[in-house]
Amino acid sequence: LVGSEMCIRDRYVQSITNLEERKRLCDTCKQAIGIRSDTQLWNYRVGNVRPDILKRRELAKIIRRHSGDSSYTADNLFPVEFYNR
């Protein structure tokens, strides 16, 4: 990814205009992967830390269910290129 290009995961999350719904999705993600910190979720989002494969799969499953889009996978939501900049 180049410069300010957003990954598919961020485009989806930002497409949720209802802030309460977006917060519920983030809370569901945090609970599912066993983290309490908004900072840790933020680090995944901005590319500082790539979640391990089990966390990526779990987060992808939650986003697929929430969005109804079965094309979301652990690999396209958390592309290695995004974290190796």
Side-chain angles (χ1 to χ4, degrees):
L1 298 175
V2 178
S4 62
E5 187 177 331
M6 281 193 289
C7 70
I8 190 172
R9 174 191 68 250
D10 289 337
R11 284 195 301 270
Y12 175 68
V13 171
Q14 290 185 4
S15 76
I16 303 168
T17 56
N18 181 311
L19 296 181
E20 283 300 312
E21 183 181 351
R22 191 185 299 182
K23 182 174 178 355
R24 280 193 302 274
L25 176 60
C26 290
D27 289 345
T28 300
C29 288
K30 287 191 311 189
Q31 182 178 4
I33 61 172
I35 62 171
R36 295 184 179 167
S37 165
D38 287 336
T39 303
Q40 190 167 358
L41 200 60
W42 175 256
N43 282 328
Y44 292 163
R45 182 174 173 214
V46 299
N48 292 339
V49 178
R50 188 175 190 221
D52 66 50
I53 185 62
L54 296 177
K55 287 182 173 86
R56 291 194 308 268
R57 287 178 180 160
E58 188 63 28
L59 293 169
K61 181 171 69 173
I62 292 165
I63 291 173
R64 274 195 306 272
R65 285 182 185 157
H66 188 270
S67 67
D69 185 340
S70 62
S71 71
Y72 291 136
T73 67
D75 289 333
N76 69 15
L77 290 172
F78 300 93
V80 70
E81 302 83 12
F82 183 71
Y83 295 91
N84 292 334
R85 304 184 266 165

